[in-house]
Amino acid sequence: MTADTAALAREWLAQDPDPATREELRGLLERAGRGEAAALAGLADRFGARLEFGTAGLRGALGAGPNRMNRVVVMRAAAGIAAWLRGRGGAGAHVVVGYDARHRSADFARDSAAVLTGAGHRVSLMPGPLPTPVLAFAVRDLGADAGIMVTASHNPPQDNGYKVYAGGTGDDAGAQIVSPVDTEISAAIDAAGPVGDLPLGEGWTVLGEEAVDRYLAAVTALVPRRERALATTYTAMHGVGGRVLLAAMERAGFARPSVVREQFDPDPDFPTVEFPNPEEPGAMDLATAAGAADGADLVIANDPDADRLALAVPGHGLLTGNEVGGLLAEYVLDHTSGPDRVVATSIVSSSLLGKIAADRGVHYEETLTGFKWLARAGGPGQRRVFAFEEALGYCVGGDGGRPVADKDGVGAALVAAALADDAKRGGRSLVDLLDDQARRYGLHLSDQLSVRVDDLSVISAAMRRLRAEPPTAFGPLAVAGVDDFAGGHAGLPPTDALRFRLEGGAWGRVTLRPSGTEPKLKAYAEVVLEVGDDVAAIRARGSDMLAELMASVAGAVRG
């Protein structure tokens, strides 16, 4: 243990208000003093770096030190946000603070409220652990100047996070922040003093259930209320979506979904899944089994903070985020009107939405990944009615606007259920609607691969190698061209991503990028084939082609 590390740790210990992390740090210092290798490494990791505040806020493992999520880090972040708000408009800004049911989320939310109130701002605290889209809606609904959500979404149980939402009265109110706001807040965090010197207030307001009721009224207006025939099974994935999703379904006229009991109540340990992410292998097993046993027409899942939506059709299996995105887009466009509408998706998502938009005569935009960009797609005079990304995120709107300027797993679930109910009344399912889309626009099949690493340098080295020596083919498809987004591409801001355009028996593309929230290198592949009458045969051929392509991508990524 270096003298500098020991000094930093003791300085941290002196200001830490949390008995749990003080005890953790004292134990590490004692064991490190005896030369224990694990303790020395633990201190070096905690104090050799820090969590960086970016457009996604903060996210990391819980624990003591500046490279962990803890009360000191959160209070300094809140102090930075308070100073940033004061610099923009003086004291008295209104901030809405929400939180999920993860370990320490409620503590971090109350600490934020105390710091912001102590700095002279007005704080509205959500009435309990609630979905992220309810917080994003409340920022818009209350005309607040900013919002804070304490959540790590679908990260492992040892993590937590801290997201900041833009305020104001424009259509991007309630959207995640973008640069340069993140760098301004980060600089203000750096300037914050020891947390023991921060003035703390107590006069914040705890919102009542009307905050949830107003959200429910807004999202249920997205679908016509009528008697429904659809039978559904639902899982909250141990998160906070359950109560809100059930209330939304019942208000919209649906029968109460059958729920996966083992996963319905919030549990920050997520005991039935390895990762609480519906995309992860095995995460949906309980829900799909329950759906089959219940005789459900549709299985609905939210991730733990309910900003994402996963769907499964019993007898068919899980739908991809791209498949759900294409279906929801057509429903939204069928139930809205006007040439000013704009739909958007990200550079790693399916190209299908562009074809749907061209066919319907509406504006289409492709953005960088993340809803901080998708929520702001379109230009002056354009009306944002739908956006999606393949990672199970959907923002749905109507002619009256969009309730949430972020991804919303509850609102999207209502629209998906309405679409499935309409299909059932015609003796069909969502799978039949996917076949209809394939006949109209070609069969779009997609898959993704994530390579998780312990050393982030592995990811940067892989990206450098693929730029320097791009593959000439992926599986059966030749590389026809490469788009490097590092210097900006097609009018988009620079980002660390590569897209390989493919041809040869089908059209396709492979896009590679590092994850923005986890230590992963992610690869996204799509193949598009023309379809005749026999969709099943083309789907089987395309699936084989995609599997071969993905095996080649895995080899190229791992080197």
Side-chain angles (χ1 to χ4, degrees):
M1 176 171 55
T2 67
D4 286 346
T5 300
L8 289 171
R10 292 190 178 96
E11 181 182 333
W12 189 274
L13 195 59
Q15 68 168 324
D16 191 349
D18 190 334
T21 45
R22 286 201 308 269
E23 182 180 354
E24 172 196 336
L25 190 51
R26 284 195 191 100
L28 281 171
L29 283 166
E30 289 174 5
R31 294 195 300 276
R34 297 193 296 267
E36 292 185 17
L40 290 166
L43 284 173
D45 184 48
R46 286 165 172 78
F47 290 92
R50 66 171 189 171
L51 296 181
E52 296 291 341
F53 186 92
T55 54
L58 298 165
R59 192 173 295 192
L62 292 162
N67 202 29
R68 295 289 189 272
M69 285 295 297
N70 51 65
R71 292 182 64 192
V72 174
V73 164
V74 165
M75 292 172 77
R76 285 175 56 83
I81 293 165
W84 172 75
L85 286 167
R86 192 164 52 248
R88 289 169 63 94
H94 183 197
V95 184
V96 186
V97 179
Y99 57 99
D100 66 9
R102 283 180 173 267
H103 293 295
R104 309 312 304 270
S105 286
D107 296 331
F108 294 165
R110 286 190 291 268
D111 282 338
S112 299
V115 171
L116 288 159
T117 305
H121 298 303
R122 183 164 60 95
V123 175
S124 295
L125 185 66
M126 298 301 286
L130 286 165
T132 293
V134 179
L135 177 279
F137 170 81
V139 173
R140 292 165 67 91
D141 188 51
L142 297 173
D145 298 289
I148 294 170
M149 182 68 192
V150 182
T151 181
S153 191
H154 55 269
N155 273 41
Q158 64 269 24
D159 289 358
N160 213 324
Y162 200 78
K163 295 168 69 173
V164 179
Y165 286 81
T169 57
D171 193 47
D172 62 351
Q176 296 176 46
I177 59 170
V178 293
S179 293
V181 170
D182 59 325
T183 55
E184 294 168 356
I185 293 175
S186 182
I189 294 171
D190 291 344
V195 297
D197 296 339
L198 296 175
L200 303 180
E202 297 179 347
W204 62 83
T205 298
V206 178
L207 297 172
E209 283 299 312
E210 71 277 1
V212 181
D213 289 339
R214 290 177 63 81
Y215 166 80
L216 289 169
V219 295
T220 53
L222 293 169
V223 297
R225 178 178 173 82
R226 60 171 179 250
E227 186 177 341
R228 303 286 187 175
L230 191 74
T232 58
T233 295
Y234 172 72
T235 178
M237 203 70 70
H238 299 296
V240 295
R243 179 173 66 91
V244 177
L245 185 286
L246 295 190
M249 292 285 284
E250 292 184 18
R251 288 191 184 204
F254 293 95
R256 183 181 177 89
S258 173
V259 302
V260 180
R261 291 291 173 192
E262 303 94 321
Q263 298 177 332
F264 185 75
D265 293 326
D267 187 331
D269 294 319
F270 311 114
T272 67
V273 293
E274 187 172 355
F275 290 99
N277 179 354
E279 292 182 290
E280 292 284 345
M284 288 285 290
D285 287 355
L286 281 176
T288 53
D294 296 338
D297 303 305
L298 186 66
V299 176
I300 298 171
N302 289 134
D303 69 336
D305 71 327
D307 65 348
R308 287 174 169 83
L309 166 72
L311 299 178
V313 177
H316 172 80
L318 300 176
L319 304 188
T320 69
N322 285 322
E323 288 173 332
V324 175
L327 293 175
L328 295 185
E330 291 211 272
Y331 181 93
V332 170
L333 292 175
D334 284 342
H335 291 79
T336 56
S337 60
D340 59 337
R341 293 171 293 170
V342 60
V343 296
T345 192
S346 71
I347 61 171
V348 301
S349 302
S350 175
S351 59
L352 172 61
L353 185 60
K355 296 180 181 179
I356 293 172
D359 186 43
R360 301 301 188 95
V362 301
H363 301 280
Y364 168 75
E365 189 165 321
E366 191 175 72
T367 75
L368 298 183
T369 56
F371 266 83
K372 64 187 178 188
W373 303 112
L374 287 167
R376 294 172 169 86
Q382 295 179 356
R383 186 160 43 95
R384 302 166 177 129
V385 294
F386 180 72
F388 91 96
E389 60 183 1
E390 51 72 42
L392 310 182
Y394 315 94
C395 177
V396 290
D399 278 331
R402 53 181 183 174
V404 177
D406 196 16
K407 52 187 177 289
D408 179 1
V410 177
L414 287 178
V415 174
L419 175 61
D421 182 72
D422 289 348
K424 181 178 181 178
R425 290 173 181 274
R428 315 184 78 219
S429 72
L430 295 186
V431 178
D432 297 312
L433 301 188
L434 289 173
D435 287 347
D436 290 346
Q437 280 191 332
R439 294 184 184 97
R440 288 194 298 273
Y441 304 116
L443 178 64
H444 293 65
L445 296 177
S446 60
D447 201 356
Q448 67 165 282
L449 169 76
S450 293
V451 178
R452 188 179 289 269
V453 300
D454 295 321
D455 182 357
L456 290 175
S457 67
V458 173
I459 292 177
S460 55
M463 294 297 287
R464 283 195 304 270
R465 173 173 48 80
L466 291 164
R467 284 188 168 97
E469 300 177 8
T472 58
F474 286 103
L477 301 181
V479 174
V482 183
D483 301 322
D484 190 344
F485 292 80
H489 175 72
L492 298 174
T495 193
D496 188 10
L498 288 169
R499 176 188 284 167
F500 300 89
R501 289 174 274 112
L502 310 177
E503 63 183 15
W507 180 91
R509 61 186 186 181
V510 170
T511 308
L512 305 174
R513 74 171 184 95
S515 170
T517 56
E518 298 177 89
K520 291 179 178 180
L521 178 59
K522 306 187 81 170
Y524 310 82
E526 179 181 35
V527 294
V528 183
L529 297 92
E530 294 299 319
V531 171
D533 292 332
D534 193 349
V535 178
I538 298 298
R539 191 178 294 278
R541 176 178 155 229
S543 296
D544 290 343
M545 181 180 291
L546 185 61
E548 188 177 349
L549 188 152
M550 288 304 295
S552 178
V553 169
V557 166
R558 294 188 172 99

